[in-house]
């Protein structure tokens, strides 16, 4: 039989289909399409939620405005005689560069907690090398004229030798040191970080409010565009124009503006400032400056030119801009880093979870899970044994099943209230581990009971009869024969229970507490992953850490799903044999 | 031998006591919530008279810390029912469709993937759903003018729909599967197509199971706390702007104020919890009745 004849007979059959049949088939096709779409929506929702959480859990991208451009200097010239300074920090610190304003804060004693820069739990230890007159040069570079670090208190340690700095680096994990560049490379326990100290200054008019808008920051590429002429006018980057007609809100007259050209101001001598200009371009070697650029000689004239030329834009050192209170245009900077890394799991959280890791939280969660399993498993399995092995079907069993069903349907917040009133207050356990785990035990009991019941039911009758026939008592039969055979099913129930307990929040908010401390006694209030996640979002403490916590929770869900599927598969295979 | 028997008896009693644990818990929970919540109507800590039943249930103003305090939980009841209805409108069609898909249409890998997807959706903690909701709202607020996805009833309904979906899918699938094969065979034998069999035979036969699933999903939606708390806007007034209105549900009212509430305010929260509990018990009772009546048993 050739395919040809089959095709033609099909075609012939279609030709004789009744209109009704065609309609039915079309309806069927549409209906099946809708159903496939619904299935697609379900999968898509899951992928979207899980993908979003996991992606952000492992990778963090942050867009922030800084008063400096991202031009990094590792060897900073600090004096006329060619002395260069490097900034060295303790090696494990999560920081690659530091802005000049932050450096100034540290060396004037205004940033005692370095963790806000590194998201680690570190107290600042500021050090400066004091030899060959280096400290004086560093002071002149960082502070206003004539000041010393001592002027702001004794926060800064003067170290006389490389060995001394090395020992401070080894002892304090929040050490930051200003040293001559020649010394920086040789310091053990330390690493060199860059300094960001070039700032975009503009003519004051640029930052004025116009038509209800104000230019508050530039993207990095926009700085280059303004200087090279790719963005000829300020309005191209969201800036102001030359007023032709003022906006009149009362009479509803829109403002009319002519384009205000951007005028780069460049130094006459290609000195250090040139480097800043070069760096805002992608191609640093041959940076074009637009034709209408104005040149200025010397710092004072440079600044004056920027302040007086309409539409002027220039780049100078942050310190000079801040000292003279010049109009600074912030520049956007994108940073990204690996979020959920081993350190996050092993370091202690601090400052409400804003810095440090999740170690306490994870240990607390494990302790809670352990307690819940230890309490819930025996009770749940015993209940299932009674229901399956002992009870005769009847009113009592119906009532017991009804109890389990009802318990399964009670919302977690009710469990939370009950736990608070009964365990914490009435029984006097206070808010803490015991109250929390007992509340959770009640919550997961139905899951454990039901799954254990199913597991016990699936054990064939013959096995029991065989055991009994050999002279074993009922109890011996249950413990030596039935329970081992049903153990994968029971384990499934316990794992499902763990999954539910780990994710629960409302029931433990007021029974387990939310103290950000490691559990130290059986009664101590403590915070677990789910509550930590909630607190981090509610108080807007740290989004990356919230994503990390959510990621761990999602991973637990996957683990629970994977193991239970495997266990059930094993159980089915056993039953099949 | 006698000792042995006595031991067996003791262990059996232990098993029995364990079996009693769940029903005892239900009784204790009911009892303690009632004890904590009912005094609101009979005793007042302030000079003002305690609220009447009517004032409590139908009052539209919730100012528990004012003088005189006002305890009207109508906004919360309406809020709860509103977001739950919204969630069901979204979740029921999709849930039933997917349940039918897994039970009847999908084969092999598609079936496996969807079943795991449903289980994982059911396993994701509500606080993670809430977190996701918050991030989505942030995204929409940043990129659109006055988006519908805001801290309001719409977002809460969508999140709740995703959370109730697994319940509805699962129970639909199970109840369609438990329809005896003869029904479908008979339908095929008289010349119906697969689709006609599904729509005219299988779904009607599995009706009671599907309804049970919807009611269970409803119970989950009404009782859900954390996810709703994070996205619903938390405004204790009767919703007037449809899905754009910020709402506070019964559960949100309880968890939101419990941290600081004292005296009558605290009691009123327990009274609110009684109302929530009553809702859930009624839903449970309905499912019990449906399951007992139906010829096809659903587990």
């Amino acid at each position: 039989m050739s395919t040809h004849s089959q095709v033609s007979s099909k075609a012939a059959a279609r030709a004789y289909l009744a209109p009704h049949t065609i309609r039915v088939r079309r309806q069927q096709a549409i209906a099946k399409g809708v159903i496939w779409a619904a299935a697609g929506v379900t999968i898509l929702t899951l992928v979207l939620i899980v993908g979003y959480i996991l992606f952000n859990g492992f990778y963090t991208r942050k867009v922030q405005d800084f008063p400096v451009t991202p031009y990094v200097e590792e060897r900073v010239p600090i004096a006329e005689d060619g002395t260069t300074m490097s900034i060295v920090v303790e090696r494990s610190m999560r920081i690659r560069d530091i802005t000049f304003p932050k450096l100034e804060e540290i060396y004037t004693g205004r940033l005692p907690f370095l963790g806000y820069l590194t998201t680690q739990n570190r107290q600042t230890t500021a050090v400066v090398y004091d030899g060959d007159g280096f400290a004086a040069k560093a002071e002149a570079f960082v502070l206003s004229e004539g000041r010393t670090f001592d002027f702001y208190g004794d926060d800064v340690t003067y170290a006389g030798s490389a060995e001394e700095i090395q020992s401070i680096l080894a002892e304090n994990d929040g050490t930051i040191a200003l040293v001559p560049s020649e010394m920086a490379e040789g310091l053990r326990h330390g690493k060199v970080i860059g300094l960001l100290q070039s700032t975009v200054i503009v003519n004051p008019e640029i930052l004025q409010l116009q038509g209800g808008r104000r230019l508050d920051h530039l993207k990095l590429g926009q700085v280059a565009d303004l200087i090279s002429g790719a963005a000829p006018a300020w309005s191209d980057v969201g800036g102001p124009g030359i007023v032709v007609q003022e906006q009149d809100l009362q009479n509803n007259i829109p403002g009319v503006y002519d384009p205000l050209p951007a005028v780069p101001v460049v130094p006459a001598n290609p000195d250090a400032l040139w480097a800043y200009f070069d760096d805002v371009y992608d191609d640093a070697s041959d940076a074009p400056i637009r034709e209408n650029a104005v040149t200025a000689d010397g710092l004072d004239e440079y600044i004056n030119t920027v302040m007086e030329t309409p539409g002027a834009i220039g780049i100078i050192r942050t310190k000079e801009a801040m000292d003279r209170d010049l109009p600074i245009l912030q520049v956007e900077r994108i940073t990204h880093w690996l979020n959920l890394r081993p350190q996050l799991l092993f370091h202690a959280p601090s400052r409400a979870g804003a810095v440090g890791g999740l170690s306490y939280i994870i240990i607390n969660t494990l302790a809670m899970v352990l307690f819940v399993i230890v309490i819930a498993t025996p009770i749940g399995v015993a209940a299932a044994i009674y229901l399956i092995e002992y009870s005769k079907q009847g009113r009592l069993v119906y009532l017991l099943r009804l109890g389990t069903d009802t318990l399964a349907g009670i919302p977690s917040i009710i469990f939370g209230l009950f736990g608070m009133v009964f365990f914490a207050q009435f029984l006097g356990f206070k808010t803490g581990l015991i109250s929390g785990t007992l509340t959770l035990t009640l919550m997961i009991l139905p899951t454990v009971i039901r799954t254990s019941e199913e597991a016990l039911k699936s054990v064939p009758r013959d096995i029991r009869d065989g055991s009994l026939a050999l002279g074993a008592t009922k109890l011996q039969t249950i413990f030596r024969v039935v329970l081992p055979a049903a153990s994968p099913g029971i384990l499934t129930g316990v794992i499902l229970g763990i999954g539910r307990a780990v994710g629960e929040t409302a029931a433990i908010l007021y029974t387990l507490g939310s103290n950000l401390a490691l559990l130290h006694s059986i009664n101590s209030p403590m915070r677990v992953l789910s509550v930590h996640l909630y607190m981090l979002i509610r108080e807007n403490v740290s989004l990356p850490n919230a994503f990390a916590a959510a990621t761990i929770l999602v991973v637990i869900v996957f683990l629970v799903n994977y193991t239970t599927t495997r266990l059930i598969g094993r159980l089915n295979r056993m039953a099949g044999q | 031998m006698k000792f042995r028997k006595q031991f067996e008896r003791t262990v059996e009693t232990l098993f029995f006591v364990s079996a009693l644990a769940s029903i005892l818990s239900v009784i204790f929970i009911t009892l303690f919530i009632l004890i904590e919540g009912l005094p609101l109507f009979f005793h007042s800590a302030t000079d003002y008279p305690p609220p009447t039943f009517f004032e409590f249930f139908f009052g539209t103003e919730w100012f528990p810390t004012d003088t005189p305090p006002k305890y009207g939980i109508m906004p919360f009841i309406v809020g709860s029912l509103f977001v739950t209805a919204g969630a069901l409108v979204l979740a029921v069609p999709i849930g039933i469709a997917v349940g039918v898909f897994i039970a009847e249409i999908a084969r092999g890998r598609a079936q496996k993937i969807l079943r795991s997807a449903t289980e994982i959706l059911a396993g994701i903690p509500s606080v993670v759903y809430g977190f996701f909701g918050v991030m989505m709202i942030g995204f929409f607020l940043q990129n659109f003018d006055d988006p519908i996805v805001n801290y309001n009833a719409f977002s809460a309904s969508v999140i709740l729909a995703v959370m109730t979906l697994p319940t509805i899918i699962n129970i639909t699938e199970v109840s369609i599967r438990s329809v005896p094969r003869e029904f479908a065979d008979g339908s095929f034998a008289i010349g119906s197509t697969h689709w006609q069999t599904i729509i005219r035979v299988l779904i009607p036969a599995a009706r009671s199971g599907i309804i049970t699933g919807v009611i269970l999903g409803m119970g989950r939606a009404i009782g859900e706390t954390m996810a709703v708390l994070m996205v619903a806007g938390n405004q204790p007034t009767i919703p007037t702007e449809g899905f754009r209105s910020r709402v506070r549900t019964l559960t949100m009212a309880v968890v939101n104020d419990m941290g600081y509430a004292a005296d009558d305010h605290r009691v009123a929260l327990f009274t609110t919890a009684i109302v929530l509990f009553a809702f859930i018990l009624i839903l449970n009772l309905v499912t019990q009745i449906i399951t007992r009546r139906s010829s096809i048993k659903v587990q």
Side-chain angles (χ1 to χ4, degrees):
Chain A
M1 285 282 118
S2 72
T3 41
H4 179 78
S5 69
Q6 275 177 2
V7 169
S8 63
S9 71
K10 261 189 187 171
R14 196 170 300 137
Y16 291 111
L17 282 180
H20 170 77
T21 316
I22 292 173
R23 206 171 59 237
V24 166
R25 285 198 179 172
R26 195 179 298 141
Q27 278 173 358
Q28 181 163 339
I30 291 169
K32 285 206 173 159
V34 169
I35 288 190
W36 272 93
V41 165
T42 310
I43 298 278
L44 219 66
T45 311
L46 179 73
V47 170
L48 181 71
I49 295 176
V50 170
Y52 181 77
I53 300 274
L54 290 187
F55 179 77
N56 285 290
F58 287 105
Y59 172 83
T60 299
R61 181 175 177 276
K62 209 169 185 179
V63 182
Q64 274 175 300
D65 289 347
F66 284 99
V68 293
T69 66
Y71 174 61
V72 178
E73 289 169 90
E74 294 200 340
R75 300 166 78 94
V76 190
I78 56 166
E80 300 290 328
D81 61 4
T83 311
T84 55
M85 178 186 84
S86 288
I87 304 166
V88 175
V89 296
E90 201 275 327
R91 200 171 44 198
S92 67
M93 230 187 267
R94 264 160 49 75
I95 189 168
R96 261 177 253 144
D97 43 50
I98 188 167
T99 64
F100 182 83
K102 286 292 168 201
L103 189 73
E104 196 194 357
E105 273 185 42
I106 292 173
Y107 278 87
T108 53
R110 285 181 289 150
L111 196 70
F113 187 68
L114 209 57
Y116 288 130
L117 292 182
T118 67
T119 71
Q120 287 158 309
N121 189 8
R122 307 226 158 153
Q123 303 291 332
T124 310
T125 310
V127 182
V128 62
Y129 174 65
D130 191 14
D132 318 326
F134 181 82
K137 289 173 194 163
E139 279 162 345
F141 174 77
V142 177
L143 308 173
S144 342
E145 230 178 318
R147 295 269 164 85
T148 62
F149 293 137
D150 285 340
F151 177 81
Y152 300 93
D154 50 2
D155 298 301
V156 179
T157 311
Y158 290 85
S161 66
E163 288 72 37
E164 197 182 337
I165 293 177
Q166 219 155 259
S167 68
I168 296 175
L169 278 167
E171 277 163 28
N172 302 300
D173 61 3
T175 304
I176 177 166
L178 302 180
V179 297
S181 297
E182 307 81 56
M183 186 193 285
E185 298 301 328
L187 288 173
R188 282 192 293 129
H189 309 295
K191 67 170 182 187
V192 176
I193 62 169
L195 179 67
L196 302 162
Q197 59 151 351
S198 62
T199 289
V200 176
I201 56 167
V202 290
N203 187 278
E205 283 174 21
I206 304 297
L207 299 185
Q208 270 165 12
L209 193 68
Q210 191 179 76
R213 287 193 310 167
R214 175 185 280 136
L215 184 65
D216 53 2
H217 73 273
L218 287 178
K219 295 190 169 65
L220 181 61
Q222 289 177 332
V223 181
D225 289 348
L226 286 169
I227 291 171
S228 69
W234 280 101
S235 51
D236 296 325
V237 294
I242 300 166
V243 180
V244 177
Q245 183 187 311
E246 286 281 0
Q247 185 189 27
D248 190 347
L249 283 176
Q250 269 172 349
N251 300 317
N252 220 0
I253 301 167
V256 179
Y257 311 101
D258 270 350
L260 171 64
V263 181
V265 180
V266 293
N269 298 321
D271 54 10
L273 292 177
W274 266 111
Y276 301 155
F277 270 96
D278 280 355
D279 194 69
V280 298
Y281 295 97
D282 294 332
D283 180 12
S285 58
D286 186 21
I289 305 281
R290 63 182 298 194
E291 289 144 18
N292 69 348
V294 179
T295 45
D297 200 7
L299 186 65
D300 288 327
E301 196 197 319
Y302 185 90
I303 291 170
N304 279 340
T305 313
V306 174
M307 291 308 109
E308 280 158 20
T309 316
I313 175 170
I315 302 178
I316 59 169
R317 280 183 51 209
T318 312
K319 188 187 175 201
E320 284 144 10
M322 284 167 62
D323 282 353
R324 284 156 225 239
D325 212 4
L326 300 177
I328 292 174
L329 196 51
Q330 304 236 346
V331 180
E332 199 176 271
R333 190 180 183 202
I334 299 167
T335 42
H336 44 89
W337 66 88
L338 197 66
N339 188 18
L340 190 66
R341 35 184 216 295
Q343 292 100 303
L344 206 64
L345 302 182
F346 298 125
H347 284 187
S350 162
R351 311 262 154 167
V355 300
L358 297 166
S359 66
Y360 289 177
I361 311 285
I362 292 173
I363 295 170
N364 287 351
T365 312
L366 289 178
M368 176 192 81
V369 166
L370 192 76
F371 269 69
V372 170
I373 299 173
V374 166
I375 304 172
T377 312
I379 300 178
V381 174
I385 291 175
Y386 182 80
L387 287 170
I388 297 293
E389 307 288 335
Y390 286 93
S391 69
K392 290 149 197 77
Q393 299 298 314
R395 252 207 136 57
L396 181 68
V397 173
Y398 173 73
L399 213 63
L400 293 178
R401 288 240 158 78
L402 187 69
T404 315
D405 287 350
T406 314
L407 199 63
I410 293 177
S412 52
I413 179 69
I414 303 266
F415 279 105
L417 288 185
F418 172 70
M420 187 175 103
V421 175
F422 186 68
F423 296 125
Q425 288 165 14
F426 186 75
L427 296 183
F429 290 140
K430 305 228 172 60
T431 305
L433 186 59
I434 297 186
S435 302
T437 46
L438 287 177
T439 311
L440 282 177
T441 300
L442 295 188
M443 269 194 79
I444 70 162
L445 207 52
T447 313
V448 178
I449 294 178
R450 281 177 181 172
T451 339
S452 304
E453 270 191 83
E454 292 303 315
L456 291 174
K457 263 191 226 166
S458 72
V459 176
R461 188 83 242 159
D462 316 351
I463 297 186
R464 289 191 185 79
D465 293 343
S467 169
L468 291 172
L470 285 172
T473 64
K474 189 161 189 180
L475 208 57
Q476 284 168 334
T477 307
I478 288 169
F479 277 107
R480 304 257 169 88
V481 178
V482 180
L483 276 186
S487 56
I490 293 170
L491 200 58
T492 308
V494 174
I495 292 171
L496 284 176
I498 293 174
R500 203 169 163 206
V502 168
E504 187 47 52
T505 313
I508 51 177
L509 208 50
Y510 299 120
T511 53
L512 194 64
S514 54
N515 274 28
L516 193 68
L518 193 63
L519 85 155
H520 44 82
S521 80
I522 207 143
N523 248 341
S524 58
M526 58 188 210
R527 190 186 283 194
V528 292
L529 268 174
S530 51
V531 176
H532 188 55
L533 172 58
Y534 173 62
M535 290 293 177
L536 287 181
I537 307 160
R538 197 184 68 175
E539 318 278 344
N540 201 4
V541 177
S542 159
L543 216 49
N545 278 0
F547 272 115
T551 299
I552 297 175
L553 286 173
V554 169
V555 168
I556 291 174
V557 171
F558 273 93
L559 285 180
V560 166
N561 185 262
Y562 177 76
T563 39
T564 50
T565 315
R566 291 289 294 269
L567 281 171
I568 290 172
R570 218 167 87 193
L571 201 66
N572 286 344
R573 277 201 302 281
M574 263 170 45
Q577 285 167 4
Chain B
M1 206 58 198
K2 194 175 174 199
F3 168 77
R4 178 96 234 162
K5 235 180 195 154
Q6 210 156 32
F7 178 69
E8 299 241 338
R9 287 246 131 203
T10 322
V11 175
E12 192 185 333
T13 320
L14 272 180
F15 288 161
F16 178 65
V17 171
S18 301
L20 281 180
S22 37
I23 188 121
L24 280 181
S25 305
V26 173
I27 294 170
F28 266 64
I29 289 172
T30 319
L31 216 66
F32 269 85
I33 300 284
L34 286 179
I35 290 174
E36 292 286 324
L38 281 184
L40 180 75
F41 301 114
F42 310 111
H43 170 80
S44 168
T46 58
D47 300 336
Y48 300 97
T52 61
F53 279 101
F54 187 84
E55 278 169 3
F56 183 74
F57 284 107
F58 296 101
T60 55
E61 284 176 318
W62 173 263
F63 296 117
T65 47
D66 272 16
T67 39
K70 291 204 178 79
Y71 303 107
I73 62 160
M74 204 61 205
F76 309 153
I77 297 178
V78 174
S80 272
L81 294 179
F82 190 42
V83 292
T84 304
L88 288 182
V89 166
L90 285 171
V92 168
I94 298 180
I96 292 179
V98 178
V100 168
F101 181 83
I102 298 178
E104 278 296 316
I105 297 172
R107 293 276 169 270
R109 179 166 284 180
Q111 193 181 39
K112 227 176 189 169
I113 290 175
L114 255 167
R115 202 172 278 152
S116 319
T118 314
E119 274 168 24
I120 290 169
L121 272 182
I124 292 178
S126 62
V127 64
V128 173
Y129 278 116
F131 179 40
F132 180 78
V134 170
M135 297 320 287
M136 282 297 100
I137 291 171
F139 172 80
F140 276 92
L141 284 180
Q142 224 168 44
N143 294 298
F144 298 96
D145 276 343
D146 192 28
I148 179 107
V149 183
N150 202 327
Y151 291 97
N152 58 21
F154 179 78
S155 306
S157 294
V158 172
I159 294 284
L160 279 182
V162 178
M163 297 181 72
T164 50
L165 209 50
T167 315
I168 298 175
I169 293 176
N170 261 334
I171 299 192
T172 305
E173 188 213 333
V174 171
S175 27
I176 287 186
R177 263 177 208 290
S178 55
V179 174
R181 205 61 233 172
E182 292 80 19
F183 283 34
D185 291 344
S187 169
F188 287 132
I190 56 170
S192 326
T193 62
H194 190 193
W195 176 245
Q196 286 169 330
T197 309
I198 291 174
I199 209 83
R200 304 251 170 87
V201 178
L202 293 181
I203 290 183
R207 195 180 50 218
S208 67
I210 294 173
I211 294 173
T212 310
V214 172
I215 294 174
L216 282 179
M218 201 172 160
R220 191 167 179 202
I222 287 188
E224 178 45 49
T225 314
M226 299 317 286
V228 189
L229 177 68
M230 290 157 87
V231 300
N234 209 358
Q235 182 175 304
T237 51
I238 299 237
T240 48
E241 299 164 60
F243 280 106
R244 280 181 181 277
S245 40
R246 295 161 170 263
V247 293
R248 188 187 281 187
T249 64
L250 290 166
T251 50
M252 287 163 79
V254 175
V255 81
N256 192 59
D257 291 4
M258 195 43 95
Y260 64 89
D263 298 333
D264 281 356
H265 184 188
R266 187 172 178 279
V267 177
L269 295 182
F270 276 93
T271 326
T272 314
I274 295 176
V275 177
L276 174 66
F277 196 45
F279 268 117
I280 300 291
L281 284 186
I282 291 168
L283 289 180
N284 270 355
L285 208 68
V286 174
T287 50
Q288 287 290 333
I289 292 167
I290 293 175
T291 327
R292 281 186 94 186
R293 272 201 194 157
S294 74
S295 51
I296 300 154
K297 284 270 179 262
V298 177
Q299 289 184 345

